[in-house]
Amino acid sequence: AKDDGRCVYRFFESEMDNAARERRMIEVELRDAITKGELVLYYQPMVSAEDEQPVGFEALIRWNHPGRGPVPPAEFIPVAEHSNLIVDIGDWTIQQACLTAVDWPEHLTVAVNLSAKHFRRSDVAQVVQKALNQSGLAPGRLEIEITEGLLLEDPDEVVRKLGELRALGVIIAMDDFGTGYSSLSHLLKFPFDKIKIDRSFVHASGEDDVARDILKAIVALGRTLQLKITAEGVETRAQAMFLAELACHQLQGYYFARPLDPAEMLHYLLTRVPG
Ligand code: C2E
Ligand code: CA
Ligand code: CA
Ligand code: CA
């Protein structure tokens, strides 16, 4: 039994070495990716549940790796968060999203994902202010999506910094709503403008009565608190119809559109957005 243990331990150790090596490799390449212009923002439409017309777009980052093609964020954002690169990437994303959205028709908003580590390590309100000034985008057209992870540490400091952001006039959304340990108490700690219901609830609502009841309760809660409610991960017409029936405000998901690369985005704007 002792030998078994050592064997497992040794296996585990070499796995960790590989993971660490892989991470360092990605980190070195990622550092260059920013300056080489290999980072790209894709945009996924959010549509009004009422008439299914686009109301805004969420910016989703991709790394256009010369050898590997578009690398999804799950493979490099954690590495960036492990180093200070997340600050550069986060700053770039906010700036880029504002510069892009200012050319869209005025009724369309743009949403960016803010990493908790980026938020903690920089003066995000100042970064956002600068991006708004530089681009000329109206603050009300920018949405900042944060996850609950951000609210777990030093709540007073976080509430103060979020307050600074909100004072600029940008919209603050709680992302992945319902997946954290205490989504409800966090909703009370800070005046969010919007919640995005995690796609796991939307997905489960297809088969499961309880999931449908939970969705119903979340939408009712959001409405009582006068929050805008977006459901993400809408993949079927049945899900879209159910959510519209609940009077959820906005829908997002593959049923309407996948995240669009810059060329697809241009095409979408030209063909799908009136005016
Ligand atoms: P998220 O913020 O929850 O973004 C939604 C994710 O769900 C996106 O994955 C999107 O492509 C995917 N999705 C959209 N519609 C559907 C659907 O109908 N079904 C399913 N199964 N999935 C759908 P993506 O682009 O791979 O992004 C994953 C996560 O990476 C994001 O989750 C977000 O947490 C993070 N992320 C993306 N872009 C950025 C960024 O610019 N900065 C930071 N800090 N994080 C980002
Ligand atoms: Ca998001
Ligand atoms: Ca989400
Ligand atoms: Ca997520």
Side-chain angles (χ1 to χ4, degrees):
K2 232 181 179 178
D3 279 354
D4 280 1
R6 202 162 13 196
C7 212
V8 167
Y9 173 73
R10 221 179 274 145
F11 169 76
F12 192 63
E13 193 180 44
S14 79
E15 282 292 284
M16 297 236 299
D17 279 355
N18 282 340
R21 215 173 300 128
E22 165 90 1
R23 198 166 56 219
R24 256 193 313 275
M25 227 176 66
I26 297 178
E27 192 185 317
V28 169
E29 283 192 305
L30 189 55
R31 203 176 297 276
D32 287 341
I34 305 171
T35 49
K36 284 187 188 153
E38 289 171 5
L39 298 181
V40 189
L41 294 180
Y42 281 38
Y43 291 94
Q44 186 179 33
M46 295 183 263
V47 308
S48 159
E50 230 171 285
D51 60 9
E52 302 193 351
Q53 292 299 303
V55 290
F57 296 84
E58 177 176 3
L60 294 160
I61 200 165
R62 302 287 182 266
W63 175 7
N64 242 332
H65 191 277
R68 284 186 283 166
V71 181
E75 284 174 37
F76 66 91
I77 291 291
V79 177
E81 287 181 331
H82 216 84
S83 67
N84 246 342
L85 288 175
I86 193 60
V87 174
D88 291 336
I89 293 177
D91 289 359
W92 176 85
T93 303
I94 293 167
Q95 191 184 31
Q96 195 61 32
C98 290
L99 285 169
T100 301
V102 78
D103 290 332
W104 300 343
E106 266 173 33
H107 67 285
L108 298 171
T109 58
V110 66
V112 297
N113 292 285
L114 188 58
S115 146
K117 297 236 164 65
H118 182 209
F119 181 85
R120 218 170 290 136
R121 288 180 207 163
S122 75
D123 185 348
V124 174
Q126 198 185 314
V127 173
V128 168
Q129 174 77 78
K130 200 174 144 200
L132 291 171
N133 288 346
Q134 240 175 18
S135 61
L137 187 76
R141 293 179 63 195
L142 177 63
E143 299 181 356
I144 308 281
E145 299 189 359
I146 63 169
T147 54
E148 276 176 75
L150 190 137
L151 297 165
L152 295 179
E153 272 175 47
D154 199 354
D156 291 345
E157 169 76 358
V158 171
V159 168
R160 186 186 64 74
K161 283 176 94 171
L162 277 180
E164 277 178 17
L165 257 184
R166 202 164 186 262
L168 296 176
V170 303
I171 309 295
I172 312 280
M174 190 193 275
D175 205 353
D176 303 342
F177 183 79
T179 57
Y181 289 109
S182 45
S183 300
L184 295 186
S185 74
H186 288 144
L187 216 47
L188 300 176
K189 226 175 252 165
F190 185 81
F192 286 90
D193 302 290
K194 179 172 186 174
I195 54 179
K196 296 192 79 176
I197 305 174
D198 191 70
R199 70 165 177 266
S200 54
F201 297 101
V202 175
H203 185 80
S205 74
E207 299 108 56
D208 187 344
D209 276 345
V210 176
R212 268 193 290 273
D213 285 342
I214 292 175
L215 266 186
K216 204 170 177 175
I218 295 177
V219 175
L221 172 81
R223 289 210 152 243
T224 303
L225 297 175
Q226 294 182 303
L227 301 169
K228 268 263 187 302
I229 310 148
T230 302
E232 35 176 48
V234 179
E235 293 183 352
T236 68
R237 182 174 149 76
Q239 291 165 353
M241 280 173 59
F242 178 67
L243 287 157
E245 220 173 273
L246 295 182
C248 182
H249 301 105
Q250 301 174 359
L251 309 176
Q252 178 181 359
Y254 296 165
Y255 175 65
F256 299 101
R258 300 225 161 215
L260 308 169
D261 71 29
E264 291 168 330
M265 179 61 186
L266 197 61
H267 182 76
Y268 186 97
L269 285 172
L270 290 172
T271 57
R272 303 285 288 279
V273 179

